[in-house]
Amino acid sequence: MSIEVGSKLQGKVTGITNFGAFVELPEGSTGLVHISEVADTYVKDINEFLKVGDQVEVKVMNVEKDGKIGLSIKKAKDRPVKNSGRPRQGKNHDRISQENFEQKMARFLKDSEDRLASLKRNTESKRGGRGARRG
């Protein structure tokens, strides 16, 4: 079984440092869980979350060419999809959710240009001067 990015594996914590924990994976390879990938909350002291010898489930985040393996404990957990509890409101929601990236960028650019033109119109008329409006 080779170690592939995105796979979830069981491992054993073999060492703890101030920046993360080393986890022994199947086939004897070792990967690093960075301190930011240990829990969903802020981790000041990794020893509050892990101890040497703990069995943990990890997700493989990256495998470097030099053999270093980046792991995550928090991304290995199956979490339900977050929902605010209320359905989205608005006439454009269905259309917006169906757009691809280029369409969203084009819509954003048009909206942005419209807002900028409106802002310029409103500020130019309020400037002082000799009464002549430049255009």
Side-chain angles (χ1 to χ4, degrees), residues 73-106:
I73 293 173
K74 71 179 183 181
K75 291 186 177 137
K77 296 175 185 167
D78 293 325
R79 286 188 223 108
V81 177
K82 290 184 179 180
N83 189 354
S84 64
R86 62 177 200 261
R88 289 227 179 211
Q89 303 277 329
K91 59 185 177 184
N92 294 330
H93 173 66
D94 291 334
R95 178 181 59 86
I96 291 171
S97 64
Q98 299 293 322
E99 292 177 331
N100 65 22
F101 179 74
E102 287 79 17
Q103 291 168 328
K104 287 180 182 180
M105 285 301 293

PDB file of all heavy atoms in Angstrom, residues 73-106:
ATOM      1  N   ILE A  73      -4.460  15.896  11.241  1.00  0.00           N
ATOM      2  CA  ILE A  73      -5.424  15.176  12.072  1.00  0.00           C
ATOM      3  C   ILE A  73      -6.803  15.809  11.914  1.00  0.00           C
ATOM      4  O   ILE A  73      -7.803  15.126  11.779  1.00  0.00           O
ATOM      5  CB  ILE A  73      -4.982  15.179  13.548  1.00  0.00           C
ATOM      6  CG1 ILE A  73      -3.707  14.351  13.710  1.00  0.00           C
ATOM      7  CG2 ILE A  73      -6.084  14.647  14.452  1.00  0.00           C
ATOM      8  CD1 ILE A  73      -3.081  14.408  15.089  1.00  0.00           C
ATOM      9  N   LYS A  74      -6.858  17.146  11.899  1.00  0.00           N
ATOM     10  CA  LYS A  74      -8.167  17.807  11.846  1.00  0.00           C
ATOM     11  C   LYS A  74      -8.885  17.570  10.521  1.00  0.00           C
ATOM     12  O   LYS A  74     -10.096  17.499  10.479  1.00  0.00           O
ATOM     13  CB  LYS A  74      -8.047  19.296  12.159  1.00  0.00           C
ATOM     14  CG  LYS A  74      -7.391  20.148  11.109  1.00  0.00           C
ATOM     15  CD  LYS A  74      -7.361  21.596  11.565  1.00  0.00           C
ATOM     16  CE  LYS A  74      -6.769  22.507  10.516  1.00  0.00           C
ATOM     17  NZ  LYS A  74      -6.725  23.883  10.979  1.00  0.00           N
ATOM     18  N   LYS A  75      -8.162  17.414   9.432  1.00  0.00           N
ATOM     19  CA  LYS A  75      -8.812  17.171   8.144  1.00  0.00           C
ATOM     20  C   LYS A  75      -9.179  15.709   7.957  1.00  0.00           C
ATOM     21  O   LYS A  75      -9.910  15.371   7.030  1.00  0.00           O
ATOM     22  CB  LYS A  75      -7.925  17.661   7.011  1.00  0.00           C
ATOM     23  CG  LYS A  75      -7.842  19.172   7.003  1.00  0.00           C
ATOM     24  CD  LYS A  75      -7.106  19.706   5.817  1.00  0.00           C
ATOM     25  CE  LYS A  75      -7.141  21.218   5.865  1.00  0.00           C
ATOM     26  NZ  LYS A  75      -5.885  21.832   5.532  1.00  0.00           N
ATOM     27  N   ALA A  76      -8.689  14.828   8.826  1.00  0.00           N
ATOM     28  CA  ALA A  76      -9.037  13.413   8.753  1.00  0.00           C
ATOM     29  C   ALA A  76     -10.404  13.146   9.364  1.00  0.00           C
ATOM     30  O   ALA A  76     -11.021  12.124   9.095  1.00  0.00           O
ATOM     31  CB  ALA A  76      -7.976  12.573   9.464  1.00  0.00           C
ATOM     32  N   LYS A  77     -10.885  14.079  10.175  1.00  0.00           N
ATOM     33  CA  LYS A  77     -12.178  13.894  10.826  1.00  0.00           C
ATOM     34  C   LYS A  77     -13.298  14.157   9.828  1.00  0.00           C
ATOM     35  O   LYS A  77     -13.266  15.134   9.094  1.00  0.00           O
ATOM     36  CB  LYS A  77     -12.318  14.857  12.011  1.00  0.00           C
ATOM     37  CG  LYS A  77     -11.321  14.598  13.107  1.00  0.00           C
ATOM     38  CD  LYS A  77     -11.437  15.643  14.187  1.00  0.00           C
ATOM     39  CE  LYS A  77     -10.357  15.447  15.231  1.00  0.00           C
ATOM     40  NZ  LYS A  77     -10.239  16.592  16.117  1.00  0.00           N
ATOM     41  N   ASP A  78     -14.286  13.264   9.834  1.00  0.00           N
ATOM     42  CA  ASP A  78     -15.460  13.470   8.984  1.00  0.00           C
ATOM     43  C   ASP A  78     -16.387  14.434   9.693  1.00  0.00           C
ATOM     44  O   ASP A  78     -16.855  14.158  10.786  1.00  0.00           O
ATOM     45  CB  ASP A  78     -16.183  12.146   8.734  1.00  0.00           C
ATOM     46  CG  ASP A  78     -15.337  11.200   7.896  1.00  0.00           C
ATOM     47  OD1 ASP A  78     -14.619  11.691   7.018  1.00  0.00           O
ATOM     48  OD2 ASP A  78     -15.401   9.985   8.141  1.00  0.00           O
ATOM     49  N   ARG A  79     -16.621  15.582   9.065  1.00  0.00           N
ATOM     50  CA  ARG A  79     -17.498  16.587   9.660  1.00  0.00           C
ATOM     51  C   ARG A  79     -18.713  16.773   8.786  1.00  0.00           C
ATOM     52  O   ARG A  79     -18.610  16.760   7.570  1.00  0.00           O
ATOM     53  CB  ARG A  79     -16.764  17.933   9.758  1.00  0.00           C
ATOM     54  CG  ARG A  79     -15.749  17.949  10.849  1.00  0.00           C
ATOM     55  CD  ARG A  79     -15.220  19.370  10.999  1.00  0.00           C
ATOM     56  NE  ARG A  79     -13.786  19.262  11.167  1.00  0.00           N
ATOM     57  CZ  ARG A  79     -12.886  19.598  10.270  1.00  0.00           C
ATOM     58  NH1 ARG A  79     -13.241  20.109   9.140  1.00  0.00           N
ATOM     59  NH2 ARG A  79     -11.608  19.459  10.516  1.00  0.00           N
ATOM     60  N   PRO A  80     -19.878  16.993   9.394  1.00  0.00           N
ATOM     61  CA  PRO A  80     -21.063  17.295   8.575  1.00  0.00           C
ATOM     62  C   PRO A  80     -20.889  18.663   7.910  1.00  0.00           C
ATOM     63  O   PRO A  80     -20.169  19.521   8.421  1.00  0.00           O
ATOM     64  CB  PRO A  80     -22.205  17.322   9.591  1.00  0.00           C
ATOM     65  CG  PRO A  80     -21.560  17.556  10.914  1.00  0.00           C
ATOM     66  CD  PRO A  80     -20.164  16.989  10.820  1.00  0.00           C
ATOM     67  N   VAL A  81     -21.559  18.838   6.798  1.00  0.00           N
ATOM     68  CA  VAL A  81     -21.502  20.110   6.088  1.00  0.00           C
ATOM     69  C   VAL A  81     -22.153  21.179   6.952  1.00  0.00           C
ATOM     70  O   VAL A  81     -23.243  20.995   7.470  1.00  0.00           O
ATOM     71  CB  VAL A  81     -22.212  20.010   4.727  1.00  0.00           C
ATOM     72  CG1 VAL A  81     -22.222  21.341   4.016  1.00  0.00           C
ATOM     73  CG2 VAL A  81     -21.568  18.942   3.880  1.00  0.00           C
ATOM     74  N   LYS A  82     -21.472  22.299   7.100  1.00  0.00           N
ATOM     75  CA  LYS A  82     -22.008  23.378   7.933  1.00  0.00           C
ATOM     76  C   LYS A  82     -23.173  24.047   7.221  1.00  0.00           C
ATOM     77  O   LYS A  82     -23.125  24.322   6.034  1.00  0.00           O
ATOM     78  CB  LYS A  82     -20.924  24.419   8.236  1.00  0.00           C
ATOM     79  CG  LYS A  82     -19.873  23.901   9.160  1.00  0.00           C
ATOM     80  CD  LYS A  82     -18.884  24.984   9.520  1.00  0.00           C
ATOM     81  CE  LYS A  82     -17.840  24.463  10.474  1.00  0.00           C
ATOM     82  NZ  LYS A  82     -16.880  25.466  10.851  1.00  0.00           N
ATOM     83  N   ASN A  83     -24.217  24.324   7.996  1.00  0.00           N
ATOM     84  CA  ASN A  83     -25.386  24.996   7.469  1.00  0.00           C
ATOM     85  C   ASN A  83     -25.843  25.994   8.521  1.00  0.00           C
ATOM     86  O   ASN A  83     -25.919  25.667   9.692  1.00  0.00           O
ATOM     87  CB  ASN A  83     -26.494  23.987   7.164  1.00  0.00           C
ATOM     88  CG  ASN A  83     -27.645  24.609   6.423  1.00  0.00           C
ATOM     89  OD1 ASN A  83     -27.690  25.827   6.221  1.00  0.00           O
ATOM     90  ND2 ASN A  83     -28.591  23.789   6.018  1.00  0.00           N
ATOM     91  N   SER A  84     -26.146  27.191   8.117  1.00  0.00           N
ATOM     92  CA  SER A  84     -26.511  28.232   9.067  1.00  0.00           C
ATOM     93  C   SER A  84     -27.887  28.000   9.675  1.00  0.00           C
ATOM     94  O   SER A  84     -28.295  28.711  10.572  1.00  0.00           O
ATOM     95  CB  SER A  84     -26.471  29.599   8.392  1.00  0.00           C
ATOM     96  OG  SER A  84     -27.440  29.656   7.365  1.00  0.00           O
ATOM     97  N   GLY A  85     -28.637  27.004   9.169  1.00  0.00           N
ATOM     98  CA  GLY A  85     -29.955  26.722   9.735  1.00  0.00           C
ATOM     99  C   GLY A  85     -31.089  27.389   8.988  1.00  0.00           C
ATOM    100  O   GLY A  85     -32.229  27.069   9.181  1.00  0.00           O
ATOM    101  N   ARG A  86     -30.780  28.328   8.139  1.00  0.00           N
ATOM    102  CA  ARG A  86     -31.840  28.975   7.373  1.00  0.00           C
ATOM    103  C   ARG A  86     -31.475  28.917   5.894  1.00  0.00           C
ATOM    104  O   ARG A  86     -30.300  29.024   5.533  1.00  0.00           O
ATOM    105  CB  ARG A  86     -32.038  30.420   7.817  1.00  0.00           C
ATOM    106  CG  ARG A  86     -30.837  31.302   7.613  1.00  0.00           C
ATOM    107  CD  ARG A  86     -31.171  32.743   8.034  1.00  0.00           C
ATOM    108  NE  ARG A  86     -30.235  33.638   7.424  1.00  0.00           N
ATOM    109  CZ  ARG A  86     -29.179  34.147   8.018  1.00  0.00           C
ATOM    110  NH1 ARG A  86     -28.911  33.835   9.249  1.00  0.00           N
ATOM    111  NH2 ARG A  86     -28.372  34.961   7.384  1.00  0.00           N
ATOM    112  N   PRO A  87     -32.469  28.752   5.041  1.00  0.00           N
ATOM    113  CA  PRO A  87     -32.166  28.688   3.610  1.00  0.00           C
ATOM    114  C   PRO A  87     -31.707  30.040   3.092  1.00  0.00           C
ATOM    115  O   PRO A  87     -32.065  31.089   3.627  1.00  0.00           O
ATOM    116  CB  PRO A  87     -33.500  28.279   2.982  1.00  0.00           C
ATOM    117  CG  PRO A  87     -34.536  28.642   3.990  1.00  0.00           C
ATOM    118  CD  PRO A  87     -33.868  28.589   5.336  1.00  0.00           C
ATOM    119  N   ARG A  88     -30.894  29.987   2.072  1.00  0.00           N
ATOM    120  CA  ARG A  88     -30.415  31.225   1.470  1.00  0.00           C
ATOM    121  C   ARG A  88     -31.572  31.972   0.847  1.00  0.00           C
ATOM    122  O   ARG A  88     -32.435  31.396   0.212  1.00  0.00           O
ATOM    123  CB  ARG A  88     -29.381  30.929   0.394  1.00  0.00           C
ATOM    124  CG  ARG A  88     -28.095  30.455   0.980  1.00  0.00           C
ATOM    125  CD  ARG A  88     -27.036  31.216   0.306  1.00  0.00           C
ATOM    126  NE  ARG A  88     -25.746  30.845   0.837  1.00  0.00           N
ATOM    127  CZ  ARG A  88     -24.767  31.678   0.883  1.00  0.00           C
ATOM    128  NH1 ARG A  88     -24.905  32.888   0.434  1.00  0.00           N
ATOM    129  NH2 ARG A  88     -23.610  31.310   1.354  1.00  0.00           N
ATOM    130  N   GLN A  89     -31.566  33.274   1.032  1.00  0.00           N
ATOM    131  CA  GLN A  89     -32.611  34.120   0.473  1.00  0.00           C
ATOM    132  C   GLN A  89     -32.029  34.902  -0.693  1.00  0.00           C
ATOM    133  O   GLN A  89     -30.847  35.191  -0.724  1.00  0.00           O
ATOM    134  CB  GLN A  89     -33.103  35.117   1.538  1.00  0.00           C
ATOM    135  CG  GLN A  89     -33.608  34.459   2.800  1.00  0.00           C
ATOM    136  CD  GLN A  89     -35.031  34.000   2.678  1.00  0.00           C
ATOM    137  OE1 GLN A  89     -35.802  34.609   1.962  1.00  0.00           O
ATOM    138  NE2 GLN A  89     -35.378  32.932   3.356  1.00  0.00           N
ATOM    139  N   GLY A  90     -32.849  35.267  -1.628  1.00  0.00           N
ATOM    140  CA  GLY A  90     -32.383  36.142  -2.696  1.00  0.00           C
ATOM    141  C   GLY A  90     -32.729  35.592  -4.057  1.00  0.00           C
ATOM    142  O   GLY A  90     -32.731  34.388  -4.281  1.00  0.00           O
ATOM    143  N   LYS A  91     -32.997  36.511  -4.962  1.00  0.00           N
ATOM    144  CA  LYS A  91     -33.432  36.108  -6.292  1.00  0.00           C
ATOM    145  C   LYS A  91     -32.296  35.554  -7.129  1.00  0.00           C
ATOM    146  O   LYS A  91     -32.519  34.798  -8.057  1.00  0.00           O
ATOM    147  CB  LYS A  91     -34.076  37.299  -7.003  1.00  0.00           C
ATOM    148  CG  LYS A  91     -33.150  38.488  -7.147  1.00  0.00           C
ATOM    149  CD  LYS A  91     -33.853  39.672  -7.751  1.00  0.00           C
ATOM    150  CE  LYS A  91     -32.886  40.851  -7.802  1.00  0.00           C
ATOM    151  NZ  LYS A  91     -33.502  42.038  -8.268  1.00  0.00           N
ATOM    152  N   ASN A  92     -31.047  35.936  -6.821  1.00  0.00           N
ATOM    153  CA  ASN A  92     -29.921  35.531  -7.647  1.00  0.00           C
ATOM    154  C   ASN A  92     -29.183  34.317  -7.116  1.00  0.00           C
ATOM    155  O   ASN A  92     -28.228  33.875  -7.722  1.00  0.00           O
ATOM    156  CB  ASN A  92     -28.924  36.687  -7.784  1.00  0.00           C
ATOM    157  CG  ASN A  92     -29.506  37.834  -8.555  1.00  0.00           C
ATOM    158  OD1 ASN A  92     -30.352  37.643  -9.417  1.00  0.00           O
ATOM    159  ND2 ASN A  92     -29.061  39.039  -8.241  1.00  0.00           N
ATOM    160  N   HIS A  93     -29.599  33.761  -5.984  1.00  0.00           N
ATOM    161  CA  HIS A  93     -28.824  32.688  -5.366  1.00  0.00           C
ATOM    162  C   HIS A  93     -28.662  31.480  -6.286  1.00  0.00           C
ATOM    163  O   HIS A  93     -27.567  30.970  -6.450  1.00  0.00           O
ATOM    164  CB  HIS A  93     -29.442  32.256  -4.039  1.00  0.00           C
ATOM    165  CG  HIS A  93     -28.775  31.054  -3.464  1.00  0.00           C
ATOM    166  ND1 HIS A  93     -27.462  31.099  -3.041  1.00  0.00           N
ATOM    167  CD2 HIS A  93     -29.194  29.788  -3.283  1.00  0.00           C
ATOM    168  CE1 HIS A  93     -27.125  29.905  -2.607  1.00  0.00           C
ATOM    169  NE2 HIS A  93     -28.157  29.093  -2.743  1.00  0.00           N
ATOM    170  N   ASP A  94     -29.753  31.007  -6.899  1.00  0.00           N
ATOM    171  CA  ASP A  94     -29.665  29.830  -7.757  1.00  0.00           C
ATOM    172  C   ASP A  94     -28.773  30.097  -8.960  1.00  0.00           C
ATOM    173  O   ASP A  94     -27.970  29.254  -9.343  1.00  0.00           O
ATOM    174  CB  ASP A  94     -31.046  29.402  -8.223  1.00  0.00           C
ATOM    175  CG  ASP A  94     -31.887  28.847  -7.080  1.00  0.00           C
ATOM    176  OD1 ASP A  94     -31.276  28.356  -6.108  1.00  0.00           O
ATOM    177  OD2 ASP A  94     -33.122  28.925  -7.162  1.00  0.00           O
ATOM    178  N   ARG A  95     -28.890  31.281  -9.543  1.00  0.00           N
ATOM    179  CA  ARG A  95     -28.074  31.615 -10.710  1.00  0.00           C
ATOM    180  C   ARG A  95     -26.606  31.707 -10.321  1.00  0.00           C
ATOM    181  O   ARG A  95     -25.736  31.193 -11.014  1.00  0.00           O
ATOM    182  CB  ARG A  95     -28.530  32.948 -11.318  1.00  0.00           C
ATOM    183  CG  ARG A  95     -27.696  33.381 -12.516  1.00  0.00           C
ATOM    184  CD  ARG A  95     -28.175  34.711 -13.076  1.00  0.00           C
ATOM    185  NE  ARG A  95     -28.127  35.796 -12.134  1.00  0.00           N
ATOM    186  CZ  ARG A  95     -27.048  36.557 -11.910  1.00  0.00           C
ATOM    187  NH1 ARG A  95     -25.945  36.335 -12.556  1.00  0.00           N
ATOM    188  NH2 ARG A  95     -27.096  37.543 -11.039  1.00  0.00           N
ATOM    189  N   ILE A  96     -26.321  32.333  -9.194  1.00  0.00           N
ATOM    190  CA  ILE A  96     -24.933  32.528  -8.756  1.00  0.00           C
ATOM    191  C   ILE A  96     -24.275  31.187  -8.443  1.00  0.00           C
ATOM    192  O   ILE A  96     -23.124  30.962  -8.776  1.00  0.00           O
ATOM    193  CB  ILE A  96     -24.879  33.475  -7.543  1.00  0.00           C
ATOM    194  CG1 ILE A  96     -25.264  34.886  -7.991  1.00  0.00           C
ATOM    195  CG2 ILE A  96     -23.499  33.478  -6.899  1.00  0.00           C
ATOM    196  CD1 ILE A  96     -25.455  35.868  -6.857  1.00  0.00           C
ATOM    197  N   SER A  97     -24.996  30.270  -7.827  1.00  0.00           N
ATOM    198  CA  SER A  97     -24.398  28.992  -7.464  1.00  0.00           C
ATOM    199  C   SER A  97     -24.096  28.135  -8.688  1.00  0.00           C
ATOM    200  O   SER A  97     -23.286  27.227  -8.615  1.00  0.00           O
ATOM    201  CB  SER A  97     -25.292  28.228  -6.497  1.00  0.00           C
ATOM    202  OG  SER A  97     -26.513  27.909  -7.127  1.00  0.00           O
ATOM    203  N   GLN A  98     -24.714  28.417  -9.824  1.00  0.00           N
ATOM    204  CA  GLN A  98     -24.492  27.641 -11.041  1.00  0.00           C
ATOM    205  C   GLN A  98     -23.357  28.206 -11.897  1.00  0.00           C
ATOM    206  O   GLN A  98     -22.935  27.564 -12.844  1.00  0.00           O
ATOM    207  CB  GLN A  98     -25.780  27.618 -11.878  1.00  0.00           C
ATOM    208  CG  GLN A  98     -26.961  26.988 -11.188  1.00  0.00           C
ATOM    209  CD  GLN A  98     -26.776  25.509 -10.956  1.00  0.00           C
ATOM    210  OE1 GLN A  98     -26.217  24.822 -11.798  1.00  0.00           O
ATOM    211  NE2 GLN A  98     -27.215  25.023  -9.811  1.00  0.00           N
ATOM    212  N   GLU A  99     -22.851  29.399 -11.583  1.00  0.00           N
ATOM    213  CA  GLU A  99     -21.844  30.045 -12.413  1.00  0.00           C
ATOM    214  C   GLU A  99     -20.469  29.419 -12.223  1.00  0.00           C
ATOM    215  O   GLU A  99     -20.128  28.967 -11.138  1.00  0.00           O
ATOM    216  CB  GLU A  99     -21.743  31.532 -12.065  1.00  0.00           C
ATOM    217  CG  GLU A  99     -22.943  32.338 -12.438  1.00  0.00           C
ATOM    218  CD  GLU A  99     -22.814  33.791 -12.014  1.00  0.00           C
ATOM    219  OE1 GLU A  99     -22.134  34.074 -11.027  1.00  0.00           O
ATOM    220  OE2 GLU A  99     -23.404  34.617 -12.689  1.00  0.00           O
ATOM    221  N   ASN A 100     -19.662  29.457 -13.287  1.00  0.00           N
ATOM    222  CA  ASN A 100     -18.283  29.033 -13.146  1.00  0.00           C
ATOM    223  C   ASN A 100     -17.432  30.246 -12.757  1.00  0.00           C
ATOM    224  O   ASN A 100     -17.934  31.366 -12.624  1.00  0.00           O
ATOM    225  CB  ASN A 100     -17.763  28.369 -14.425  1.00  0.00           C
ATOM    226  CG  ASN A 100     -17.695  29.320 -15.598  1.00  0.00           C
ATOM    227  OD1 ASN A 100     -17.640  30.531 -15.443  1.00  0.00           O
ATOM    228  ND2 ASN A 100     -17.701  28.768 -16.806  1.00  0.00           N
ATOM    229  N   PHE A 101     -16.154  30.038 -12.557  1.00  0.00           N
ATOM    230  CA  PHE A 101     -15.274  31.088 -12.064  1.00  0.00           C
ATOM    231  C   PHE A 101     -15.237  32.306 -12.992  1.00  0.00           C
ATOM    232  O   PHE A 101     -15.327  33.446 -12.539  1.00  0.00           O
ATOM    233  CB  PHE A 101     -13.858  30.542 -11.874  1.00  0.00           C
ATOM    234  CG  PHE A 101     -12.878  31.558 -11.392  1.00  0.00           C
ATOM    235  CD1 PHE A 101     -12.906  31.981 -10.065  1.00  0.00           C
ATOM    236  CD2 PHE A 101     -11.935  32.105 -12.241  1.00  0.00           C
ATOM    237  CE1 PHE A 101     -12.018  32.924  -9.612  1.00  0.00           C
ATOM    238  CE2 PHE A 101     -11.041  33.050 -11.788  1.00  0.00           C
ATOM    239  CZ  PHE A 101     -11.077  33.462 -10.468  1.00  0.00           C
ATOM    240  N   GLU A 102     -15.121  32.075 -14.291  1.00  0.00           N
ATOM    241  CA  GLU A 102     -15.036  33.188 -15.240  1.00  0.00           C
ATOM    242  C   GLU A 102     -16.311  34.031 -15.226  1.00  0.00           C
ATOM    243  O   GLU A 102     -16.257  35.257 -15.292  1.00  0.00           O
ATOM    244  CB  GLU A 102     -14.757  32.683 -16.663  1.00  0.00           C
ATOM    245  CG  GLU A 102     -13.340  32.191 -16.885  1.00  0.00           C
ATOM    246  CD  GLU A 102     -13.102  30.788 -16.355  1.00  0.00           C
ATOM    247  OE1 GLU A 102     -14.088  30.063 -16.094  1.00  0.00           O
ATOM    248  OE2 GLU A 102     -11.927  30.425 -16.182  1.00  0.00           O
ATOM    249  N   GLN A 103     -17.450  33.378 -15.130  1.00  0.00           N
ATOM    250  CA  GLN A 103     -18.714  34.109 -15.079  1.00  0.00           C
ATOM    251  C   GLN A 103     -18.818  34.933 -13.803  1.00  0.00           C
ATOM    252  O   GLN A 103     -19.278  36.073 -13.820  1.00  0.00           O
ATOM    253  CB  GLN A 103     -19.893  33.132 -15.170  1.00  0.00           C
ATOM    254  CG  GLN A 103     -20.021  32.476 -16.529  1.00  0.00           C
ATOM    255  CD  GLN A 103     -21.004  31.317 -16.514  1.00  0.00           C
ATOM    256  OE1 GLN A 103     -21.154  30.635 -15.514  1.00  0.00           O
ATOM    257  NE2 GLN A 103     -21.668  31.096 -17.653  1.00  0.00           N
ATOM    258  N   LYS A 104     -18.384  34.352 -12.683  1.00  0.00           N
ATOM    259  CA  LYS A 104     -18.415  35.092 -11.426  1.00  0.00           C
ATOM    260  C   LYS A 104     -17.483  36.300 -11.482  1.00  0.00           C
ATOM    261  O   LYS A 104     -17.829  37.374 -11.004  1.00  0.00           O
ATOM    262  CB  LYS A 104     -18.011  34.181 -10.264  1.00  0.00           C
ATOM    263  CG  LYS A 104     -19.064  33.176  -9.905  1.00  0.00           C
ATOM    264  CD  LYS A 104     -18.624  32.296  -8.756  1.00  0.00           C
ATOM    265  CE  LYS A 104     -19.688  31.260  -8.439  1.00  0.00           C
ATOM    266  NZ  LYS A 104     -19.302  30.384  -7.344  1.00  0.00           N
ATOM    267  N   MET A 105     -16.303  36.128 -12.075  1.00  0.00           N
ATOM    268  CA  MET A 105     -15.363  37.248 -12.188  1.00  0.00           C
ATOM    269  C   MET A 105     -15.917  38.336 -13.101  1.00  0.00           C
ATOM    270  O   MET A 105     -15.775  39.528 -12.810  1.00  0.00           O
ATOM    271  CB  MET A 105     -14.004  36.764 -12.713  1.00  0.00           C
ATOM    272  CG  MET A 105     -13.179  36.029 -11.680  1.00  0.00           C
ATOM    273  SD  MET A 105     -12.822  36.996 -10.208  1.00  0.00           S
ATOM    274  CE  MET A 105     -11.762  38.244 -10.883  1.00  0.00           C
ATOM    275  N   ALA A 106     -16.535  37.955 -14.209  1.00  0.00           N
ATOM    276  CA  ALA A 106     -17.116  38.938 -15.119  1.00  0.00           C
ATOM    277  C   ALA A 106     -18.233  39.717 -14.427  1.00  0.00           C
ATOM    278  O   ALA A 106     -18.317  40.949 -14.557  1.00  0.00           O
ATOM    279  CB  ALA A 106     -17.643  38.244 -16.373  1.00  0.00           C
TER     280      ALA A 106
END
